[in-house]
Amino acid sequence: ADVWVTLGALEGAVKSGRISRERIDDSVRRLLEMKARVGLHKNRRVNLDHIGTVVASGDHLALADSAATRSVTLPRDRDGLIPADPRDYPRVLHVVYARDEDLTAGRALGASLGVYFRSLTTRRMSPDSPGAAYEELAWLRGEADLLLVSAFVPPRAGAGDVMVPEAFARFVEESSAGKSTVVVSLGNPYLLTAFPGVGTYLLAWGPHEVSQAAAARALVGVSAISGTLPVSLPPLHQRNEGLTRDRVPDVPRLGSMSEQELEIGLFRRGPGDRPAGPGGAEGQDPTISPLEVDPVEVGFDPKGLEALDSIIMAAIADSASPGAALAVGRRGKLVRLRGYGRLDWSPDAPRATPSSLWDMASVTKVSATTVAAMILAEAGHLNLDEKVVAYLPWWSAGDPEKEDVLVRHLLLHRAGLPPFRRFFLEMEGKEAYKDAIGALPLDYTPGGATVYSDIGLMTLAFIIEELTGADLDSFLRRRVWGPLGMQDTGFLPDPGLLPRIAPTEVDTTYRFTHVHGSVHDENAHAIGGIAGHAGLFSSARDMSVLAQVLLDGGSIPPCANVVDGGVPCSVARPGPVRIAAPTSVELFTRRHDSTSSRALGWDTPSEGSSSGEYFSDRAFGHTGFTGTSIWVDPELDLFVVLLTSRTNPTRSNSKHVPLRRAVHDAVAQAITDRPVQRRRR
């Protein structure tokens, strides 16, 4: 409570030998290193205008949720009440103890518990509650099967006295003697000394909404409990004590609270809460867009397409991804625009829908950067056979041979660049990345080989931004996504969209959180979220619009609303929209030569292609590391967009690979109005 008293005590502890100087130095060094990682040694001022987006970012919310979940501690459970099976307690009395001014105390906890318990009665007590209030509590206690006391008592400096009224302490002690009672402290860990006879005591460490939701999950077994005491609770428990509890699969949800009522960020799961199986996906019907038309209308066998649902749901059940979204179009009409499963592995995660947002990963290379390059090349602003250094003079600083690299080389992955570098471990910000890429030497002679490279498309984005005077996101919003009505597409999604965004990996090496609402690719994250190789977020609904534009040679017809005869449509387009000429689309999407499968930016089918075995040689597409893909086949007049989050929770999951091939093969083989042959090997 008094900084100078604290400093004096610390100095005395060092002088007496209780704490070593080395321990102090180590602690200070960690603090200074943390400040250096965020650049405070270079810029000590921050832009307060960014607080609303930075503090509420998806990364920070997910990290808070994860920390709250993992920190829940169970010092004692003599009565074996945790996890509490909702079926064993038809009537629960929840007593919230907090100061009158603590208006949010208990609200998130009660809302979360309301999902599980059939009958939940809540009463709020304060330091000034009259005796009559305790009389009512005593009567309600007699009617309840379980008493849950959540106490929001602020922590103090040291153990000291826990200031709760004698009447409240007596009520809790008497209740624990004759009624199943759980006390949850969301503040002062020493609260147990006020009623030491309580048999079950849970610590959630703070009054915040994430802590309240974490306590609720731990209490019913939705989350495992693994925390240990960082302090002793004299004379009752010692430091490092803490009981463990495993997660309970399929906790029954008997309450009246709906998922929609909880979609306010209070009940999002942390990375430790993934079920062992398909989560909430099993047994769910797909979420179907009204845009879908009868498959017969565009030359499909309906029964052949029905296999798609089974293929995708089986993959979800096999943990390929917690959910997926699919768009299939032919002859300008959608026959599939569906969501499957959920956006995360928790049973209460939002369902995947055609408008759910996915981290597109390397699909960014073609749906953003390559499209922008195509537009600029058609307009004469970008010459594909011009040297990169003509647009970016700094680019050859690290190797004179880079002066021979052409823009075309970047698109074909023949610039001589390495596949990637782990720049994010050493730097952040666009200028730092430009300096590092400029100083990077080539691995091979430009044009001499084809080596897929993130760095080449990052460079191309720098050129586009130099030519347009705007960042990649702004240019494409103005020139492509806005006119096409692609309302779900862009970089740096607003934190308010988190409930619609599929999380990706549980990052254990760089950000140390479950990545959600922020780009998965580490370099794209470190550069600022807008990059030429990754960073785009989009939906199956929006990507179907772009796929149809490319299939139709750069144009798309109008659509009056989202239910308009199957035409891909996110928002109304009052008239036709053209972003490029058919010759430009043909130029960029046709395989360049026989030495590789690469077109300009795009890929084309090859042995083992993700497009399967039946898409024609004229098809073009691309995949993304997070589990996304887009394939367009002008010969079959067909496109398929398949979006998954296969990196959730780990990038070691490769079950999306056979899923992609199976989906594309099933679609192609369902075509009835023309022969579809297995592609020549």
Side-chain angles (χ1 to χ4, degrees):
D2 188 314
V3 173
W4 296 108
V5 171
T6 302
L7 291 175
L10 186 62
E11 183 180 6
V14 173
K15 288 180 176 178
S16 68
R18 287 181 54 220
I19 299 177
S20 68
R21 289 186 62 96
E22 289 76 17
R23 169 69 186 276
I24 300 297
D25 289 343
D26 183 60
S27 295
V28 172
R29 184 176 295 108
R30 285 202 302 271
L31 288 170
L32 292 175
E33 288 173 350
M34 177 166 46
K35 291 179 178 181
R37 281 197 296 272
V38 297
L40 291 182
H41 62 302
K42 295 181 179 179
N43 183 7
R44 298 178 60 186
R45 297 182 180 275
V46 298
N47 188 341
L48 299 183
D49 294 336
H50 295 166
I51 288 177
T53 55
V54 174
V55 174
S57 70
D59 282 355
H60 293 174
L61 292 173
L63 180 60
D65 190 69
S66 172
T69 298
R70 291 181 287 114
S71 67
V72 171
T73 307
L74 184 62
R76 65 166 63 171
D77 187 22
R78 291 199 297 253
D79 303 326
L81 300 180
I82 294 182
D85 190 329
R87 291 166 293 197
D88 294 339
Y89 304 103
R91 296 165 299 182
V92 177
L93 173 61
H94 178 203
V95 177
V96 180
Y97 177 84
R99 297 171 299 182
D100 290 332
E101 58 267 31
D102 293 340
L103 300 180
T104 61
R107 293 175 63 180
L109 177 59
S112 299
L113 293 173
V115 172
Y116 298 100
F117 292 103
R118 181 174 286 110
S119 174
L120 182 71
T121 301
T122 301
R123 290 294 183 271
R124 184 182 172 103
M125 306 295 287
S126 75
D128 300 321
S129 293
Y134 286 100
E135 293 175 7
E136 182 195 15
L137 281 186
W139 182 84
L140 291 171
R141 177 183 60 195
E143 297 293 311
D145 302 295
L146 174 68
L147 171 64
L148 172 64
V149 177
S150 60
F152 294 78
V153 178
R156 293 178 175 272
D161 296 325
V162 179
M163 300 298 294
V164 295
E166 182 181 346
F168 180 72
R170 184 169 59 250
F171 167 77
V172 175
E173 282 277 271
E174 291 175 355
S175 299
S176 64
K179 178 70 63 177
S180 295
T181 301
V182 176
V183 173
V184 182
S185 175
L186 294 113
N188 196 323
Y190 305 104
L191 183 68
L192 186 59
T193 59
F195 17 79
V198 166
T200 302
Y201 183 57
L202 190 73
L203 285 166
W205 300 105
H208 309 291
E209 291 175 339
V210 288
S211 298
Q212 295 184 49
R217 296 197 298 264
L219 192 141
V220 298
V222 171
S223 296
I225 299 176
S226 59
T228 58
L229 288 171
V231 295
S232 61
L233 307 181
L236 305 170
H237 295 281
Q238 300 301 310
R239 183 183 176 195
N240 295 325
E241 286 188 30
L243 304 173
T244 60
R245 294 288 186 268
D246 292 333
R247 180 189 177 277
V248 177
D250 303 321
V251 175
R253 303 177 64 181
L254 307 178
S256 59
M257 185 72 71
S258 68
E259 284 184 21
Q260 288 72 27
E261 290 172 295
L262 282 175
E263 282 185 0
I264 52 176
L266 301 182
F267 213 69
R268 216 178 54 255
R269 297 301 177 83
D273 296 328
R274 175 189 168 184
E282 192 171 16
Q284 284 184 4
D285 292 328
T287 303
I288 303 174
S289 167
L291 272 173
E292 290 187 8
V293 300
D294 184 349
V296 175
E297 184 180 329
V298 291
F300 275 116
D301 174 17
K303 291 190 178 297
L305 287 183
E306 286 176 6
L308 289 172
D309 294 344
S310 299
I311 290 170
I312 294 174
M313 294 306 292
I316 292 173
D318 192 36
S319 299
S321 172
L326 175 70
V328 179
R330 190 160 188 256
R331 296 188 194 164
K333 302 292 180 68
L334 285 159
V335 294
R336 280 293 185 275
L337 185 55
R338 301 186 176 187
Y340 304 82
R342 297 185 180 274
L343 297 184
D344 203 354
W345 289 107
S346 55
D348 55 358
R351 294 186 67 172
T353 72
S355 61
S356 296
L357 301 181
W358 308 78
D359 182 333
M360 301 302 294
S362 285
V363 175
T364 303
K365 292 182 173 74
V366 291
S367 57
T369 312
T370 298
V371 167
M374 179 176 66
I375 291 170
L376 293 173
E378 180 179 310
H381 300 306
L382 178 66
N383 183 348
L384 300 183
D385 294 312
E386 180 62 89
K387 294 180 178 181
V388 172
V389 293
Y391 300 105
L392 306 175
W394 49 265
W395 195 73
S396 63
D399 187 344
E401 195 174 7
K402 289 167 75 175
E403 294 183 2
D404 296 327
V405 176
L406 308 179
V407 173
R408 187 182 301 274
H409 289 147
L410 300 177
L411 285 159
L412 293 172
H413 298 278
R414 297 181 180 180
L417 293 163
F420 68 95
R421 285 286 187 270
R422 294 167 66 87
F423 293 124
F424 62 91
L425 295 176
E426 304 170 9
M427 66 191 69
E428 61 182 20
K430 187 176 295 184
E431 294 307 314
Y433 267 78
K434 287 182 176 180
D435 290 344
I437 291 173
L440 194 68
L442 297 182
D443 278 3
Y444 59 93
T445 301
T450 301
V451 178
Y452 182 79
S453 174
D454 285 352
I455 301 170
L457 272 293
M458 294 169 76
T459 299
L460 183 57
F462 295 148
I463 294 175
I464 291 166
E465 292 178 342
E466 185 71 24
L467 290 173
T468 62
D471 62 50
L472 190 63
D473 189 39
S474 299
F475 173 70
L476 287 165
R477 284 186 188 278
R478 182 178 70 252
R479 185 64 179 78
V480 180
W481 304 326
L484 292 175
M486 294 172 62
Q487 60 181 346
D488 301 329
T489 303
F491 296 83
L492 299 171
D494 188 279
L497 296 173
L498 276 176
R500 290 175 54 198
I501 300 175
T504 53
E505 189 171 19
V506 178
D507 186 345
T508 60
T509 60
Y510 171 50
R511 283 167 281 187
F512 303 98
T513 187
H514 195 178
V515 180
H516 185 198
S518 176
V519 58
H520 172 266
D521 183 272
E522 294 92 345
N523 278 324
H525 177 269
I527 206 173
I530 302 175
H533 70 295
L536 190 69
F537 285 76
S538 189
S539 65
R541 179 175 66 183
D542 265 17
M543 292 304 293
S544 72
V545 175
L546 180 62
Q548 189 63 54
V549 169
L550 296 168
L551 194 56
D552 286 348
S555 301
I556 196 168
C559 62
N561 52 54
V562 294
V563 186
D564 192 38
V567 176
C569 186
S570 280
V571 295
R573 295 185 300 270
V577 178
R578 175 189 178 279
I579 66 166
T583 51
S584 295
V585 176
E586 165 80 9
L587 172 67
F588 272 74
T589 59
R590 183 175 287 280
R591 180 179 293 193
H592 183 69
D593 59 31
S594 61
T595 63
S596 82
S597 63
R598 293 289 163 185
L600 292 173
W602 295 89
D603 198 9
T604 64
S606 59
E607 182 71 23
S609 170
S610 65
S611 65
E613 298 187 356
Y614 294 91
F615 275 48
S616 75
D617 291 330
R618 184 61 191 88
F620 57 92
H622 212 282
T623 61
F625 187 78
T626 52
T628 55
S629 64
I630 176 174
W631 278 96
V632 179
D633 193 333
E635 185 173 318
L636 298 179
D637 199 2
L638 170 71
F639 70 78
V640 178
V641 174
L642 177 62
L643 309 179
T644 74
S645 51
R646 70 95 184 174
T647 55
N648 184 0
T650 171
R651 67 181 64 194
S652 63
N653 176 18
S654 60
K655 295 179 180 179
H656 65 299
V657 175
L659 169 63
R660 283 172 174 161
R661 292 173 55 81
V663 165
H664 293 121
D665 284 350
V667 170
Q669 290 178 294
I671 293 175
T672 59
D673 61 356
R674 57 157 293 163
V676 177
Q677 303 293 330
R678 191 185 299 270
R679 195 172 54 254
R680 298 184 304 275
R681 294 183 181 275

